[in-house]
């Protein structure tokens, strides 16, 4: 049965006629946004639901970060890449719903599914693409007494504006890829940068870690923040404790004067009730098979929420996941459909759009 843009179904609770979508994408990060675009190439009636009040997913955590590793895209700030992805996602005008977190899934007698949010809204769909990353982003907070009172002044859990750190003595706690990237971004802006990490070695790409170790950025590891000393509501000094093999503080301590403290201790997975849907999982990810299919027919996954052999943890990898998931959803609905969309240069859905772009360029 082919996709029908006007298909409706019956609400099993109220008996009302409601709109039925070919696929519902849960998550508005890179995987979800590209899936929304690619499903348009497959002429699917598409809805995208994002729990936050804006699109971008975890990319919203580091809007000032420069992105270098998206094919064919010259270095671009994360915030600009989000804008481009949103513009692309809207090419075929999918329904986009913000501020709703999907919690429950119900399989209906006609083979479709009903999704219910934490606040009671309901959505009907033939297939689902889970592009939820690790769930609603929520940074791991610094577990030091009194830390929360400095969050309104100079204790940060993300870097939203690089210029706000100009000329300052910055302490950056964390050793992940993102922490290393932040340190490199701030290197030419801050007066000084000290990285503190509870492990013996920093994480991140090897080349970037080598740059950090060869730069003027001070690296103290294994150390942890054990105490914050404030002047009013601002941190003025930090006590660092040397960490043992388990990453716990010892009695060996040192004090450091600072103007700003940035914490990057990760974002714990928060998938909520989705973990109770019966999907096969490894850690906090959904196990993906052929065409990104999960263990439940009709449900697919893409991006950071997916795990499979040789998984590529890059934004570019999320795009491939998304296209495969959409193709899987299309074939689930319409088994005799083409296994993939035609490339854009040969795809008839772009004919009118291409003419419009050509005419616009001639007018300039």
């Amino acid at each position: 049965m082919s996709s029908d843009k006007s298909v409706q179904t019956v609400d099993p609770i109220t008996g009302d006629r409601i709109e039925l979508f070919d696929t519902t994408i849960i998550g508005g990060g890179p995987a979800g946004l590209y899936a929304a675009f690619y499903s348009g190439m497959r002429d699917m009636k598409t809805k995208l639901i994002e729990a936050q009040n804006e699109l971008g997913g975890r990319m919203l955590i580091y809007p000032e970060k420069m992105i270098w590793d998206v094919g064919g895209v010259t270095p671009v700030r994360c915030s600009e890449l989000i804008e481009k992805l949103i513009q692309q996602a809207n090419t075929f005008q999918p329904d986009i719903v913000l501020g709703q977190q999907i919690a429950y899934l119900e399989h209906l007698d006609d083979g479709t599914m009903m999704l219910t949010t934490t606040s009671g809204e309901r959505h009907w769909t033939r297939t689902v693409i889970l592009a939820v990353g690790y769930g609603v982003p929520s940074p791991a907070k610094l577990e030091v007494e009194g830390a929360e009172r400095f969050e309104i002044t100079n204790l940060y859990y993300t870097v939203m504006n690089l210029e706000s750190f100009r000329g300052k003595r910055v302490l950056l706690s964390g050793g992940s890829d993102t922490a290393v990237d932040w340190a490199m971004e701030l290197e030419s802006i801050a007066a000084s940068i000290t990285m503190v990490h509870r492990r013996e070695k920093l994480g991140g790409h090897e080349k970037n870690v080598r740059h950090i170790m060869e730069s003027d950025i001070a690296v103290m590891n294994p150390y942890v923040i054990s105490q914050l000393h404030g002047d009013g509501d601002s941190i003025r000094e930090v006590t660092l404790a040397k960490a043992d093999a388990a990453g716990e503080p010892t009695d060996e301590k040192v004090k450091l004067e600072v103007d700003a403290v940035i914490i990057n201790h990760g974002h714990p997975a928060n998938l909520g009730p989705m973990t109770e849907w019966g999907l096969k999982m490894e850690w906090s990810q959904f196990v993906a098979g052929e065409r990104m299919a999960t263990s439940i027919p009709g449900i697919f996954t893409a991006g950071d929420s997916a795990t499979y052999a040789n998984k590529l943890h890059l934004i570019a990898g999320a795009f491939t996941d998304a296209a495969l998931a959409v193709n899987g959803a299309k074939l689930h609905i319409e088994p005799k459909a083409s296994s993939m969309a035609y490339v854009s240069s040969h795809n008839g859905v772009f004919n009118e759009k291409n003419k419009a772009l050509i005419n616009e360029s001639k007018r300039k």
Side-chain angles (χ1 to χ4, degrees), residues 143-305:
E143 296 182 359
V144 171
E145 184 179 356
E148 62 278 357
R149 74 185 178 97
F150 298 114
E151 291 179 13
I152 60 173
T153 51
N154 61 344
L155 177 63
Y156 304 85
Y157 288 98
T158 188
V159 176
M160 301 297 291
N161 180 5
L162 291 171
E163 280 299 315
S164 64
F165 299 95
R166 183 166 294 282
K168 294 183 178 180
R169 298 165 296 178
V170 176
L171 174 66
L172 200 164
S173 178
S176 69
D177 190 41
T178 299
V180 169
D181 286 346
W182 281 347
M184 292 176 63
E185 293 278 355
L186 290 166
E187 187 177 4
S188 62
I189 294 174
S192 65
I193 302 172
T194 301
M195 289 192 72
V196 56
H197 184 40
R198 65 193 181 99
R199 303 297 184 197
E200 289 284 352
K201 295 182 179 180
L202 296 175
H205 295 296
E206 296 92 335
K207 184 175 182 180
N208 291 345
V209 171
R210 184 170 66 250
H211 173 87
I212 293 289
M213 301 309 295
E214 293 174 354
S215 71
D216 291 331
I217 297 171
V219 178
M220 299 185 66
N221 56 325
Y223 275 85
V224 294
I225 296 174
S226 65
Q227 196 171 356
L228 303 174
H229 309 280
D231 176 8
D233 290 328
S234 296
I235 303 167
R236 296 303 178 203
E237 195 173 49
V238 174
T239 296
L240 304 175
K242 192 162 189 178
D244 59 20
E248 297 299 320
T250 65
D251 292 333
E252 185 177 339
K253 297 179 180 179
V254 61
K255 285 188 176 181
L256 184 71
E257 293 184 349
V258 298
D259 299 309
V261 176
I262 302 171
I263 305 298
N264 181 251
H265 292 173
H267 292 74
N270 178 24
L271 297 176
M274 282 185 185
T275 58
E276 301 172 7
W277 288 8
L279 293 159
K280 184 179 180 182
M281 302 185 70
E282 289 182 2
W283 298 101
S284 296
Q285 295 171 296
F286 305 109
V287 175
E290 186 177 3
R291 294 192 178 92
M292 305 306 295
T294 69
S295 57
I296 296 180
I299 301 180
F300 303 83
T301 185
D304 284 337
S305 62

Side-chain angles (χ1 to χ4, degrees), residues 17 55 98 100 122 129 137-138 150 168 192 263 289 309 316 328 359:
R17 301 292 295 179
L55 297 168
L98 300 177
Q100 293 188 21
R122 290 175 293 163
I129 297 175
S138 179
F150 298 114
K168 294 183 178 180
S192 65
I263 305 298
N359 289 334

Side-chain angles (χ1 to χ4, degrees), residues 23 25 27 29-41 46 48 89 129 131 302 318-319 321-323 325-326:
T23 194
I25 302 158
L33 290 169
Y34 193 75
F37 164 73
Y38 194 81
S39 63
M41 291 181 67
T46 303
L48 184 152
I129 297 175
F319 299 155
D321 284 0
V326 169

Side-chain angles (χ1 to χ4, degrees), residues 29-31 61 71 76 194 235 276 308 315:
I61 297 169
V76 58
T194 301
I235 303 167
E276 301 172 7
Y308 54 88
I315 293 174

Side-chain angles (χ1 to χ4, degrees), residues 1 24 27 49 58 74 115 122 125 238 268 284 314 320 337 344 351 353:
M1 177 175 160
T24 297
I49 303 173
R58 291 204 170 207
T74 54
L115 299 165
R122 290 175 293 163
T125 187
V238 174
S284 296
L314 290 174
T320 299
S344 61
N351 287 344
K353 297 180 185 296

